[in-house]
Coordinates of all heavy atoms in Angstrom, one line a residue:
W16 N -5.5 -16.8 54.4 CA -5.7 -17.3 53.0 C -4.4 -17.8 52.3 O -4.4 -18.9 51.8 CB -6.4 -16.3 52.2 CG -7.8 -16.2 52.4 CD1 -8.5 -15.3 53.0 CD2 -8.8 -17.2 51.9 NE1 -9.9 -15.5 53.0 CE2 -10.1 -16.7 52.4 CE3 -8.8 -18.4 51.2 CZ2 -11.3 -17.4 52.1 CZ3 -10.0 -19.0 50.9 CH2 -11.2 -18.6 51.4
L17 N -3.3 -17.1 52.5 CA -2.1 -17.4 51.9 C -1.5 -18.7 52.5 O -1.0 -19.6 51.8 CB -1.0 -16.3 52.0 CG -1.2 -15.1 51.1 CD1 -0.1 -14.1 51.4 CD2 -1.2 -15.5 49.6
S18 N -1.6 -18.8 53.8 CA -1.1 -20.0 54.5 C -1.9 -21.2 54.2 O -1.4 -22.3 54.1 CB -1.0 -19.7 56.1 OG -2.3 -19.4 56.5
T19 N -3.2 -21.1 54.1 CA -4.0 -22.2 53.7 C -3.7 -22.8 52.3 O -3.5 -23.9 52.1 CB -5.5 -21.8 53.7 OG1 -5.9 -21.3 55.1 CG2 -6.4 -22.9 53.4
I20 N -3.6 -21.8 51.4 CA -3.2 -22.2 50.0 C -1.8 -22.9 50.0 O -1.6 -24.0 49.4 CB -3.1 -21.0 49.0 CG1 -4.6 -20.5 48.8 CG2 -2.6 -21.4 47.7 CD1 -4.6 -19.1 48.2
T21 N -0.9 -22.3 50.8 CA 0.5 -22.9 50.8 C 0.5 -24.3 51.5 O 1.2 -25.1 51.0 CB 1.4 -21.9 51.7 OG1 1.4 -20.6 51.2 CG2 2.8 -22.4 51.7
A22 N -0.3 -24.4 52.5 CA -0.3 -25.7 53.3 C -0.8 -26.8 52.3 O -0.3 -27.9 52.3 CB -1.2 -25.6 54.5
L23 N -1.9 -26.5 51.6 CA -2.4 -27.6 50.7 C -1.5 -27.8 49.5 O -1.3 -29.0 49.2 CB -3.8 -27.1 50.2 CG -4.8 -26.9 51.3 CD1 -6.2 -26.4 50.7 CD2 -5.1 -28.3 52.0
L24 N -1.0 -26.8 48.9 CA -0.1 -27.0 47.7 C 1.1 -27.8 48.0 O 1.6 -28.7 47.4 CB 0.3 -25.6 47.1 CG -0.6 -25.1 46.0 CD1 -0.1 -23.7 45.5 CD2 -0.7 -26.0 44.8
S25 N 1.8 -27.4 49.2 CA 3.0 -28.0 49.6 C 2.9 -29.4 50.0 O 3.7 -30.3 49.7 CB 3.7 -27.2 50.7 OG 2.8 -27.0 51.9
A26 N 1.7 -29.7 50.7 CA 1.5 -31.1 51.1 C 1.3 -32.0 49.9 O 1.9 -33.1 49.8 CB 0.3 -31.2 52.0
L27 N 0.6 -31.5 48.9 CA 0.3 -32.3 47.7 C 1.6 -32.5 46.9 O 1.9 -33.5 46.4 CB -0.7 -31.7 46.8 CG -2.2 -31.7 47.4 CD1 -3.1 -30.8 46.6 CD2 -2.7 -33.2 47.4
S28 N 2.4 -31.4 46.9 CA 3.8 -31.5 46.2 C 4.7 -32.5 46.9 O 5.4 -33.2 46.3 CB 4.4 -30.1 46.2 OG 3.6 -29.2 45.4
A29 N 4.7 -32.5 48.2 CA 5.5 -33.5 49.0 C 5.1 -34.9 48.7 O 5.9 -35.8 48.7 CB 5.4 -33.2 50.5
L30 N 3.8 -35.1 48.4 CA 3.3 -36.4 48.1 C 3.8 -36.9 46.8 O 3.9 -38.2 46.5 CB 1.7 -36.4 48.1 CG 1.0 -36.8 49.4 CD1 -0.5 -36.6 49.3 CD2 1.3 -38.2 49.8
G31 N 4.1 -36.0 45.9 CA 4.6 -36.4 44.5 C 6.0 -36.3 44.3 O 6.6 -36.8 43.3
A32 N 6.8 -35.7 45.2 CA 8.2 -35.5 45.0 C 9.0 -36.8 45.0 O 8.7 -37.7 45.8 CB 8.8 -34.5 46.1
S33 N 9.9 -36.9 44.1 CA 10.7 -38.1 44.0 C 12.2 -38.0 44.5 O 13.0 -38.8 44.4 CB 10.8 -38.5 42.5 OG 11.3 -37.5 41.7
D34 N 12.5 -36.8 45.1 CA 13.8 -36.5 45.7 C 13.6 -36.5 47.2 O 12.7 -35.8 47.7 CB 14.2 -35.2 45.2 CG 15.6 -34.7 45.7 OD1 15.8 -34.8 46.9 OD2 16.5 -34.4 44.9
V35 N 14.5 -37.2 48.0 CA 14.4 -37.3 49.4 C 14.3 -35.9 50.1 O 13.4 -35.6 50.9 CB 15.5 -38.1 50.0 CG1 15.5 -38.0 51.5 CG2 15.5 -39.5 49.5
K36 N 15.3 -35.0 49.6 CA 15.3 -33.7 50.2 C 14.2 -32.8 49.8 O 13.8 -31.9 50.6 CB 16.7 -33.1 49.9 CG 17.8 -33.7 50.7 CD 19.2 -33.2 50.2 CE 19.4 -31.8 50.6 NZ 20.8 -31.3 50.2
K37 N 13.7 -33.0 48.6 CA 12.5 -32.2 48.1 C 11.3 -32.5 48.9 O 10.4 -31.6 49.2 CB 12.3 -32.4 46.7 CG 13.1 -31.4 45.7 CD 12.6 -31.4 44.4 CE 13.4 -30.4 43.5 NZ 12.9 -30.3 42.2
V38 N 11.1 -33.7 49.3 CA 10.0 -34.1 50.2 C 10.1 -33.3 51.5 O 9.1 -32.7 51.9 CB 9.9 -35.6 50.5 CG1 8.7 -35.9 51.5 CG2 9.7 -36.4 49.2
L39 N 11.2 -33.2 52.1 CA 11.4 -32.5 53.3 C 11.3 -31.0 53.1 O 10.9 -30.3 54.0 CB 12.8 -32.9 53.9 CG 13.0 -34.3 54.3 CD1 14.4 -34.6 54.9 CD2 11.9 -34.8 55.4
A40 N 11.7 -30.6 52.0 CA 11.6 -29.1 51.7 C 10.1 -28.7 51.6 O 9.7 -27.7 52.2 CB 12.3 -28.8 50.3
Y41 N 9.4 -29.5 50.9 CA 7.9 -29.2 50.8 C 7.3 -29.3 52.2 O 6.3 -28.6 52.5 CB 7.2 -30.1 49.8 CG 7.4 -29.6 48.3 CD1 8.0 -30.5 47.4 CD2 7.0 -28.4 47.9 CE1 8.2 -30.1 46.1 CE2 7.1 -28.0 46.6 CZ 7.8 -28.9 45.7 OH 7.9 -28.5 44.4
S42 N 7.7 -30.2 53.0 CA 7.2 -30.4 54.3 C 7.5 -29.2 55.2 O 6.7 -28.8 56.0 CB 7.6 -31.7 55.0 OG 8.9 -31.6 55.6
T43 N 8.7 -28.6 55.0 CA 9.0 -27.4 55.7 C 8.1 -26.2 55.3 O 7.6 -25.5 56.2 CB 10.5 -26.9 55.4 OG1 11.3 -27.9 55.9 CG2 10.8 -25.6 56.0
I44 N 7.8 -26.1 54.0 CA 6.9 -25.0 53.5 C 5.5 -25.3 54.2 O 4.8 -24.3 54.6 CB 6.8 -25.1 52.0 CG1 8.1 -24.8 51.3 CG2 5.7 -24.1 51.5 CD1 8.2 -25.0 49.8
N45 N 5.1 -26.6 54.2 CA 3.8 -27.0 54.8 C 3.7 -26.5 56.3 O 2.7 -25.9 56.7 CB 3.7 -28.5 54.7 CG 2.3 -29.0 55.2 OD1 2.3 -29.6 56.2 ND2 1.3 -28.6 54.5
H46 N 4.8 -26.8 57.1 CA 4.7 -26.4 58.5 C 5.0 -25.0 58.8 O 4.4 -24.4 59.7 CB 5.7 -27.3 59.3 CG 5.2 -28.7 59.5 ND1 4.5 -29.1 60.7 CD2 5.2 -29.8 58.7 CE1 4.1 -30.3 60.6 NE2 4.5 -30.8 59.4
L47 N 5.7 -24.3 57.9 CA 5.8 -22.8 58.0 C 4.4 -22.2 57.8 O 4.1 -21.2 58.4 CB 6.8 -22.3 57.0 CG 8.3 -22.6 57.3 CD1 9.1 -22.2 56.1 CD2 8.8 -21.7 58.5
A48 N 3.7 -22.8 56.8 CA 2.3 -22.4 56.6 C 1.4 -22.5 57.8 O 0.6 -21.6 58.1 CB 1.7 -23.1 55.4
L49 N 1.6 -23.5 58.6 CA 0.9 -23.7 59.8 C 1.2 -22.6 60.8 O 0.4 -22.1 61.6 CB 1.1 -25.1 60.4 CG 0.6 -26.2 59.7 CD1 0.9 -27.6 60.4 CD2 -0.9 -26.1 59.5
M50 N 2.5 -22.2 60.9 CA 3.0 -21.1 61.8 C 2.3 -19.8 61.3 O 1.8 -19.1 62.2 CB 4.5 -21.0 61.8 CG 5.2 -22.2 62.3 SD 7.0 -22.0 62.1 CE 7.5 -23.7 61.8
F51 N 2.3 -19.6 60.0 CA 1.7 -18.3 59.5 C 0.2 -18.4 59.8 O -0.5 -17.4 60.1 CB 1.9 -18.2 58.0 CG 3.2 -17.5 57.7 CD1 4.4 -18.2 57.7 CD2 3.2 -16.1 57.3 CE1 5.6 -17.5 57.4 CE2 4.4 -15.5 57.1 CZ 5.6 -16.2 57.1
L52 N -0.4 -19.6 59.6 CA -1.8 -19.7 59.9 C -2.2 -19.4 61.3 O -3.2 -18.6 61.6 CB -2.3 -21.1 59.6 CG -3.8 -21.5 59.8 CD1 -4.7 -20.7 59.0 CD2 -4.0 -23.0 59.6
A53 N -1.3 -19.9 62.3 CA -1.5 -19.5 63.7 C -1.5 -18.0 64.0 O -2.3 -17.5 64.7 CB -0.5 -20.3 64.5
L54 N -0.5 -17.4 63.3 CA -0.4 -15.9 63.5 C -1.6 -15.2 62.9 O -2.1 -14.2 63.4 CB 0.9 -15.4 62.8 CG 2.2 -15.8 63.5 CD1 3.4 -15.6 62.6 CD2 2.4 -15.1 64.8
G55 N -2.1 -15.7 61.7 CA -3.3 -15.1 61.1 C -4.5 -15.3 62.0 O -5.4 -14.4 61.9
L56 N -4.6 -16.4 62.8 CA -5.7 -16.6 63.6 C -5.6 -16.0 64.9 O -6.5 -16.0 65.7 CB -5.8 -18.2 63.8 CG -6.1 -19.0 62.6 CD1 -5.9 -20.5 62.8 CD2 -7.5 -18.7 62.0
G57 N -4.5 -15.3 65.2 CA -4.3 -14.6 66.5 C -3.7 -15.5 67.6 O -3.5 -15.1 68.7

């Protein structure tokens, strides 16, 4: 549940970010959420 919420929030935030590095920062949060999601799924 946490990783799903994080993945959606961070992806939408990356879509709106106006700073080059912030887009990449939100994308990192997004892909870390995928790693957590994988662990939560076994």
Side-chain angles (χ1 to χ4, degrees):
W16 279 105
L17 287 179
S18 59
T19 301
I20 294 168
T21 306
L23 296 175
L24 269 180
S25 57
L27 291 169
S28 297
L30 269 173
S33 58
D34 181 309
V35 174
K36 288 173 68 176
K37 274 195 175 182
V38 175
L39 296 179
Y41 281 120
S42 80
T43 294
I44 298 170
N45 183 251
H46 281 265
L47 288 166
L49 291 181
M50 296 172 215
F51 274 81
L52 179 61
L54 291 167
L56 296 169

